[in-house]
Amino acid sequence: GEDVEQSLFLSVREGDSSVINCTYTDSSSTYLYWYKQEPGAGLQLLTYIFSNMDMKQDQRLTVLLNKKDKHLSLRIADTQTGDSAIYFCAEIPNAGNNRKLIWGLGTSLAVNP
Amino acid sequence: DTGVSQDPRHKITKRGQNVTFRCDPISEHNRLYWYRQTLGQGPEFLTYFQNEAQLEKSRLLSDRFSAERPKGSFSTLEIQRTEQGDSAMYLCASSLGGPDGYTFGSGTRLTVV
């Protein structure tokens, strides 16, 4: 079946690194995504990784994919108060051409000054 | 083209009334999606269009819900005889079907009283 799980809350101090974890169940997933949602705002694509990659780095963001364990993580270096938001992990299962996203419940990141 | 637009941003309606939301996708995007998000949850897939064809509907979309994309450009989502359980954020997204995910609109927040 299709399921994406994330821890619900993470609290870090400003300047520290944040690591948000996600597990998924569909081993045939093609792409995995991280979205950010700020209060009252829409969903903003942060980054994505193709399933044949292990790592992707984009400025302060590092995505690690362990396909064997079906584990995805998002590391935010030098976390700032502006990074406070809900972070969603999402996958596109390989089945079908509709490319609909299956989402986790989101991890609420609180950055303390 | 400034992204995906949704109208209205907020809608308060009495139970039993009909409501209609509009989504204007990015003009060159042929794929359009509707998702629903309730508090503390990730988005749930409702329906998907490729051009003007509605190719998939979630079982979440009861007979009271209908969506159209008549000319393959803007889309409407109508809810008839609204119920309190319909209160949610309704999100529209569009894409070209490539790996870089969707572009989401800011959503329409529906409150049924």
Side-chain angles (χ1 to χ4, degrees):
Chain A
E2 304 165 342
D3 199 13
V4 177
E5 293 187 354
Q6 303 177 234
S7 52
L8 295 182
F9 300 102
L10 177 66
S11 180
V12 299
R13 261 195 275 189
E14 191 174 15
D16 288 350
S17 292
S18 308
V19 179
I20 302 171
N21 295 301
C22 167
T23 57
Y24 59 98
T25 55
D26 192 331
S27 58
S28 63
S29 289
T30 52
Y31 296 100
L32 296 129
Y33 297 84
W34 286 103
Y35 279 83
K36 177 182 180 182
Q37 189 173 39
E38 294 179 87
L43 288 149
Q44 175 196 354
L45 176 67
L46 286 179
T47 187
Y48 67 92
I49 189 166
F50 188 46
S51 58
N52 68 354
M53 297 169 65
D54 298 322
M55 185 181 92
K56 182 176 180 182
Q57 188 152 5
D58 184 0
Q59 299 182 333
R60 291 190 300 121
L61 305 179
T62 303
V63 179
L64 294 177
L65 175 61
N66 181 330
K67 201 173 177 185
K68 174 175 166 289
D69 293 339
K70 300 193 198 90
H71 182 265
L72 182 74
S73 68
L74 174 70
R75 178 175 179 269
I76 306 172
D78 186 25
T79 314
Q80 303 296 305
T81 53
D83 295 324
S84 294
I86 300 177
Y87 290 81
F88 289 96
C89 170
E91 62 170 346
I92 290 183
N94 202 25
N97 189 35
N98 58 21
R99 292 187 174 272
K100 68 182 182 188
L101 283 166
I102 308 299
W103 300 77
L105 294 181
T107 299
S108 181
L109 174 65
V111 183
N112 306 305
Chain B
D1 195 354
T2 56
V4 178
S5 300
Q6 290 188 247
D7 184 66
R9 290 294 304 275
H10 303 275
K11 178 72 179 178
I12 300 174
T13 191
K14 289 185 180 176
R15 192 173 50 190
Q17 297 292 305
N18 299 343
V19 293
T20 300
F21 310 142
R22 177 179 170 120
C23 171
D24 286 88
I26 293 174
S27 55
E28 61 266 28
H29 285 184
N30 60 342
R31 294 171 182 244
L32 186 145
Y33 300 80
W34 285 98
Y35 285 80
R36 180 173 70 186
Q37 186 179 24
T38 52
L39 201 63
Q41 302 290 317
E44 296 172 298
F45 171 79
L46 292 179
T47 191
Y48 156 64
F49 289 86
Q50 186 160 335
N51 301 311
E52 66 275 9
Q54 186 175 22
L55 297 184
E56 185 172 349
K57 282 174 65 171
S58 164
R59 59 180 181 276
L60 291 174
L61 223 62
S62 75
D63 291 344
R64 297 185 297 105
F65 288 71
S66 61
E68 293 183 343
R69 193 182 183 197
K71 294 180 182 175
S73 56
F74 74 92
S75 175
T76 57
L77 177 68
E78 181 183 15
I79 309 174
Q80 296 183 325
R81 304 182 301 283
T82 51
E83 300 172 358
Q84 284 190 315
D86 298 331
S87 296
M89 177 75 86
Y90 289 83
L91 296 162
C92 176
S94 68
S95 84
L96 282 169
D100 49 344
Y102 310 162
T103 302
F104 277 88
S106 297
T108 294
R109 181 169 295 284
L110 173 66
T111 303
V112 182
V113 297

